[in-house]
Amino acid sequence: MKAAVVTSFAEPLQIQDRPVPEPGTGQLLVRIEASGLCHTDIHAAHGDWPVKPTPPFVPGHEGVGVVEAVGAGVNHRLVGDRVALPWLGRACGHCEYCVRGWETLCGEQQNTGYSIDGGFAEYAVADATYAVPVPAGVSPVDAAPLTCAGLTTYKAVKVAGIRPTERVAVFGIGGLGHLAVQYAKIVGGTVIAVDVEDSKLEMASDLGADHVINAGKVDPLQAVEALGGADVAIVLAVVPHVFETAFAALRRGGRLVCVGLPPESDGPMALPIFPTVLKGISVIGSIVGTRQDLAEVFELHARGRTRVIAETRKLDEVNDAIGDVLAGRTPARIVFEI
Ligand code: ZN
Ligand code: ZN
């Protein structure tokens, strides 16, 4: 089978011919149809984060495909079903986090496209318990970005506890941001989209954003304050100073939801203690979402409540696609059709 493989953090990915993997006990063999390119895949390929994957490995945690075979202990009736293989490839299932609905915090978790081979290949094996069914009416090309970009922003909107009429500023419109805008609208928020590119802000308006701010042309802090400040700021950008701006733009009782992950070398964000205390600000880290969250994301899409903006490419073009994402030359999400 064809696979895009990270052989070293300093080299481009290699397209290799590898044997089709065998599903082990409790696993599925999935013939991948589509797999989205997430910024995390690029950080994985470059070894940017403190806990690094071990080359050689196959990135991709937005793989969507059809179950072709099952290993021992898995119901054969799953063969032929479409499933998604999200970042949470496996968790222990019995620690306090798993048991109380926070499997995404499990200390024993394995991550697709990071510690286990992911979706940038014609086939992948996955834990049958952690693969998420894709309902009829959600195409593979739409399901792929929903599997990380959709899931992650849906969860961020959930943990922000947005009440209808609250103002929600979304910093960074792209693969994640275009979905964050839609989820914030669905829960009744008034959405302020912030980016540095007019084309992305136009897309945000198209998808329902009430206000747009081009942070390359005006001071985003003043612009959000002119709208009355934000009750919630969801930061999807991968630059520490954007987190600081978002924090400063919050009203009393505001919530800063941190989602974007800058490279470790960019350093920490500065969090001033006085306004945090006096304004009663909550700072919340939000990491992907659970299987149940993803089921809800798919259901919303199947009901026509969300739109996915994506551009399809061939897997052979993986390195060019990474270059385009890094240069900001992509609409919202690149999806490899496999
Ligand atoms: Zn991702
Ligand atoms: Zn666990």
Side-chain angles (χ1 to χ4, degrees):
M1 68 165 188
K2 185 186 285 186
V5 182
V6 175
T7 55
S8 130
F9 296 134
E11 302 285 328
L13 275 72
Q14 278 182 16
I15 301 295
Q16 292 183 355
D17 188 29
R18 289 186 149 195
V20 175
E22 292 273 329
T25 302
Q27 289 184 325
L28 309 171
L29 174 67
V30 179
R31 178 174 51 78
I32 302 291
E33 300 171 289
S35 195
L37 172 60
C38 180
H39 223 110
T40 294
D41 295 311
I42 302 175
H43 291 303
H46 294 168
D48 280 334
W49 287 341
V51 181
K52 298 180 201 311
T54 311
F57 67 95
V58 177
H61 54 275
E62 288 187 347
V64 172
V66 174
V67 177
E68 189 146 300
V70 296
V74 182
N75 191 329
H76 282 265
R77 269 178 275 184
L78 288 174
V79 172
D81 285 4
R82 180 168 288 132
V83 294
L85 311 183
W87 172 251
L88 187 72
R90 193 185 312 147
C92 82
H94 51 72
C95 70
E96 65 171 296
Y97 301 109
C98 282
V99 168
R100 66 173 203 228
W102 279 98
E103 61 200 27
T104 47
L105 302 182
C106 176
E108 304 294 315
Q109 70 183 275
Q110 298 288 324
N111 298 117
T112 310
Y114 212 84
S115 58
I116 49 184
D117 282 340
F120 288 5
E122 288 174 318
Y123 290 90
V125 289
D127 190 306
T129 310
Y130 288 88
V132 175
V134 179
V138 180
S139 72
V141 169
D142 279 2
L146 293 172
T147 299
C148 176
L151 172 63
T152 299
T153 51
Y154 179 69
K155 186 67 162 188
V157 164
K158 261 188 163 179
V159 298
I162 296 162
R163 293 183 294 276
T165 77
E166 282 195 316
R167 274 188 297 275
V168 182
V170 177
F171 288 80
I173 303 300
L176 276 77
H178 88 284
L179 287 156
V181 165
Q182 298 177 71
Y183 296 128
K185 287 299 289 183
I186 287 171
V187 298
T190 298
V191 175
I192 306 166
V194 186
D195 202 281
V196 291
E197 283 182 50
D198 284 330
S199 61
K200 293 190 170 164
L201 294 172
E202 273 164 38
M203 174 173 70
S205 297
D206 234 40
L207 295 169
D210 300 277
H211 308 279
V212 297
I213 294 169
N214 186 324
K217 294 181 180 167
V218 299
D219 177 352
L221 176 55
Q222 281 177 10
V224 176
E225 279 173 346
L227 295 166
D231 298 290
V232 168
I234 298 176
V235 187
L236 309 169
V238 290
V239 191
H241 78 80
V242 178
F243 289 76
E244 293 161 9
T245 301
F247 174 92
L250 289 171
R251 306 176 67 209
R252 290 167 178 250
R255 287 88 76 199
L256 176 70
V257 185
C258 305
V259 178
L261 287 171
E264 199 188 12
S265 54
D266 286 2
M269 68 170 166
L271 192 63
I273 296 167
F274 257 78
T276 306
V277 173
L278 298 185
K279 292 166 75 179
I281 303 292
S282 303
V283 178
I284 306 168
S286 186
I287 173 77
V288 294
T290 64
R291 289 166 286 176
Q292 178 59 29
D293 295 321
L294 184 52
E296 292 167 17
V297 161
F298 285 150
E299 187 174 336
L300 282 171
H301 197 70
R303 290 188 195 177
R305 303 286 303 276
T306 51
R307 266 168 65 198
V308 171
I309 311 288
E311 177 186 316
T312 58
R313 302 271 183 101
K314 297 277 170 264
L315 189 59
D316 303 271
E317 300 161 357
V318 61
N319 291 308
D320 291 341
I322 288 173
D324 287 349
V325 169
L326 291 176
R329 279 193 298 265
T330 53
R333 202 61 154 182
I334 287 177
V335 175
F336 300 114
E337 279 190 295
I338 297 173

